Structures are given as structure tokens and as C-alpha cells.
Amino acid sequence: MKSGDFIKAFFILFLLSLCLVAEAAEFKLTSRVVVLGAPRLNLILNEEYLITHTLVKARSKGKYSEDVVAFQNLAWNMNEAAYRQLRQEGFSSELNAMSSNADFLKTYSQFFNLLKNTPEYKLILKEVQDYMSESLYEWDTNLEKSVPFMLKYSGFTFNYDVYTYITHPAVGNGRNWGSLMGNKTITFGAWPTFANYFTVYIWHEIIHFYMESDEISHAVNQLLTDNQLRIFFNGGTLTPLEGHKDLMNIMEKNLDRWQEYKKSPTDLNLFVKQIIKLKK
């Protein structure tokens, strides 16, 4: 072998070794129910992102919260400096974990690998895997009903893949990341406070792909998903309204307009423009 070829081969092997160090562990479940016009939901459990989100967010509540706290305490006692650094990086650390950033994984791989071998983490992982399976079952069970409803009242189309990174439901999570890494990306993890909760809030995040981030757009999204879709599945009345407290006033002021919109729905963004125009 020529010296140049040897150097080239060595460099390739070196790059491969870095990839092996930086590789993130993932589990994936994909919806198997096919409905015309439906998004195909892919649930992803990225272990590095799961660990990062659990440590960065810190707060936990509801079922299994004591397991989360035990894992967080373990991580703190194991490597306080790394834990603090993750917290300081905050949002960027979550983004780097989810996108499997090589530098990020190289920095934290030893810490994460130690955590993965503990009983505390294995319990957390099992709980998230169970939540993941149960959530996809709910989504698939509801898909035939939810798709025509959402097509009718949103005015949008949904024939694409959605990638949802699942975290522990005791550590709140619900965010639309736009077209991250070239894919429509969501992160989610939350215990349900009403029936069909996962279905309602995944649709909520999907609708965010189409709408601006202003308060009126968000309130209209909530009218459709958090409220109209919720009672479509569960029965009852629109009030009391569900959603962010700081958006309640906007929703309440536009309930009559929402009732009119439903009689002849067009496009949620057109409805938002109507509200803005009438507000002036």
C-alpha cells in the first residue's frame, strides 16, 4: 500500500471511529394505519435527547415523577459539572442532542453511557417505551376519525411524515421545531388530563407547521385542536376552554366568530386575518 493510500485509509478509519463514539441510540415506532390525507406519524425515542431533556427541564409531576427525580439525583451525584453544563446550555443542548450533533455527543458520551447502565435510567427508559407504544395506539385508533375532521376545519393538507421525539411524560414537553434536519419535527411528552389527549395535542403541534407564532394564530389553533377536536372525541361543550391561560381572553372573545367559521370552514389563516381585520 502506498503511503498516501495508507494515510487515506487511516483517516477514514479515524472518521468511522468518531461516528461510532458519537452515534445516538434511537428506537422508532411508525403508524401503520393508512388514511387518505393523513400525516404518517413516526415516534422516535432518542436516548441522548431523552436524557438531556430530563436533566435540563428538571421539574417533574404526576405518575412516575419519583422515578424521574431519582434519575436526576443520580445524574447530579455522578457528574455535577456535566449536569450543570447541560442546564446552562439549555435549549441548544436539547437541539444538539435531538440532531445527534457529533461534538455534543462526543462531549457527553461518557456521562450518558454511564447513566444508561444504571437501574434508574433503565426504569425511565421502560416507562417512556410503554408511553410511546400506548400513545401510538391511541393515535392509530383515532386516525380514521381525526383526519376528515382536521381536513375540513383547518383547510390544510397533511400527506407527509411527521417525526415526534418522545420524552418522559412526567417531564412536560410539547414543541414544534419546524423543518428540523429536513423533517417536520415535534417533541412531546405529557400525561393526559383528558381522554384522547395525545391525539389532540399532536394535532395541535402539526397545525403549528402552517401558522404564524403570534397569539391570535395560536389561540385559533387552540380553538380547533385543544377544544373543538377534544369535544369531537369526548363530547361535552367548548367551555370551559382548554389551552394556555394567556390565550383564554382571545379565544373567549372570538367564540361567536368561531361558531360562524365552522358553518362554512375555509382556512385557519384566513380566519386569523378576519379576526385581525375586525380588531382594527
Side-chain angles (χ1 to χ4, degrees), residues 245-279:
K245 290 181 180 179
D246 58 343
L247 300 176
M248 288 295 174
N249 188 47
I250 298 173
M251 290 194 291
E252 289 166 355
K253 284 184 176 180
N254 290 284
L255 270 179
D256 289 342
R257 293 187 183 120
W258 175 250
Q259 300 292 7
E260 286 300 311
Y261 171 82
K262 287 190 300 176
K263 294 176 183 178
S264 183
T266 52
D267 178 303
L268 288 183
N269 287 318
L270 293 178
F271 181 55
V272 169
K273 289 179 181 178
Q274 179 190 349
I275 292 173
I276 294 172
K277 184 178 180 180
L278 291 170
K279 189 179 176 183

Side-chain angles (χ1 to χ4, degrees), residues 38 75 80 203 259:
E80 182 181 336
W203 275 115
Q259 300 292 7

Side-chain angles (χ1 to χ4, degrees), residues 10-27:
F10 176 81
F11 183 68
I12 291 171
L13 286 171
F14 174 72
L15 288 178
L16 285 172
S17 69
L18 286 182
C19 291
L20 289 172
V21 169
E23 185 178 2
E26 287 189 349
F27 302 92

Side-chain angles (χ1 to χ4, degrees), residues 13-244:
L13 286 171
F14 174 72
L15 288 178
L16 285 172
S17 69
L18 286 182
C19 291
L20 289 172
V21 169
E23 185 178 2
E26 287 189 349
F27 302 92
K28 182 178 174 183
L29 293 176
T30 299
S31 173
R32 295 186 177 184
V33 176
V34 178
V35 176
L36 185 65
R40 185 169 70 165
L41 189 65
N42 302 274
L43 301 188
I44 300 167
L45 198 172
N46 177 305
E47 291 195 67
E48 281 66 29
Y49 176 60
L50 168 61
I51 292 170
T52 301
H53 179 78
T54 304
L55 299 185
V56 167
K57 294 302 179 185
R59 295 187 302 275
S60 64
K61 63 179 181 179
K63 188 167 65 167
Y64 302 143
S65 60
E66 66 279 4
D67 298 336
V68 171
V69 172
F71 172 67
Q72 292 167 339
N73 289 339
L74 172 76
W76 178 271
N77 292 329
M78 184 177 288
N79 191 332
E80 182 181 336
Y83 196 129
R84 284 183 180 276
Q85 187 175 338
L86 279 173
R87 293 290 305 277
Q88 288 170 357
E89 292 170 0
F91 177 85
S92 65
S93 65
E94 292 201 54
L95 177 60
N96 285 328
M98 192 179 1
S99 60
S100 299
N101 178 279
D103 291 335
F104 175 86
L105 295 179
K106 187 178 179 182
T107 298
Y108 292 104
S109 61
Q110 184 177 6
F111 180 40
F112 287 168
N113 288 336
L114 287 172
L115 287 172
K116 288 178 189 179
N117 288 318
T118 65
E120 289 85 352
Y121 173 73
K122 290 176 182 178
L123 181 58
I124 291 290
L125 181 63
K126 175 64 166 56
E127 290 165 357
V128 177
Q129 288 172 329
D130 290 344
Y131 170 71
M132 190 175 176
S133 299
E134 292 163 6
S135 297
L136 188 62
Y137 177 78
E138 180 197 303
W139 174 265
D140 280 351
T141 300
N142 289 334
L143 197 61
E144 193 171 347
K145 286 182 66 178
S146 69
V147 171
F149 180 92
M150 294 301 294
L151 288 170
K152 177 180 179 180
Y153 290 108
S154 73
F156 305 142
T157 56
F158 307 106
N159 54 337
Y160 46 73
D161 280 79
V162 175
Y163 295 85
T164 301
Y165 288 77
I166 298 294
T167 52
H168 198 287
V171 186
N173 196 359
R175 178 189 289 271
N176 180 301
W177 295 74
S179 295
L180 182 69
M181 301 175 289
N183 297 319
K184 293 185 183 298
T185 303
I186 292 167
T187 54
F188 196 82
W191 288 124
T193 56
F194 52 78
N196 301 298
Y197 183 95
F198 182 82
T199 300
V200 166
Y201 281 104
I202 291 301
W203 275 115
H204 176 117
E205 297 304 333
I206 288 172
I207 291 298
H208 274 309
F209 287 122
Y210 298 87
M211 304 186 76
E212 299 296 330
S213 58
D214 61 277
E215 288 189 339
I216 293 177
S217 295
H218 198 174
V220 167
N221 183 351
Q222 287 189 165
L223 281 172
L224 174 59
T225 55
D226 304 32
N227 295 284
Q228 202 68 56
L229 182 61
R230 169 178 55 85
I231 66 169
F232 173 69
F233 278 115
N234 301 340
T237 59
L238 275 176
T239 54
L241 293 167
E242 290 278 342
H244 294 284

